[in-house]
Amino acid sequence: NRVTLVPAAGTPDVLVAGDVFYSPTVAEQMTARLRAARRESSTVLVGDPGRGYFPHRLFEQVAEYVVPVPAALEEAETLTTGVWRMR
């Protein structure tokens, strides 16, 4: 998968990412990219269901949802997930 975080025309007003903190390597890369966008004054929003590599200290939660999920994937019928804004 290819992720384009900043369009060629400039810095986006809002950058949205979903469930991107699922491994140490990807979490490190995404944190660096999201922080760079935030430094450029983008509002950064992330949807995350509580993955182990989510850097909570960099975000504040703005919404929470309980969503249905396939039990075979998550070992539950629902999952609580949140929307977070980077500080």
Side-chain angles (χ1 to χ4, degrees), residues 28-81:
E28 183 179 327
Q29 293 170 355
M30 289 305 302
T31 298
R33 290 179 176 189
L34 296 174
R35 290 181 88 178
R38 184 68 191 111
R39 280 192 300 275
E40 294 295 321
S41 299
S42 293
T43 296
V44 175
L45 299 173
V46 173
D48 189 84
R51 301 289 182 219
Y53 302 102
F54 179 69
H56 288 90
R57 72 190 184 289
L58 301 177
F59 293 86
E60 60 183 333
Q61 190 170 23
V62 296
E64 184 175 88
Y65 301 94
V66 176
V67 296
V69 293
L73 291 178
E74 299 290 343
E75 299 177 3
E77 292 182 9
T78 62
L79 183 66
T80 301
T81 190

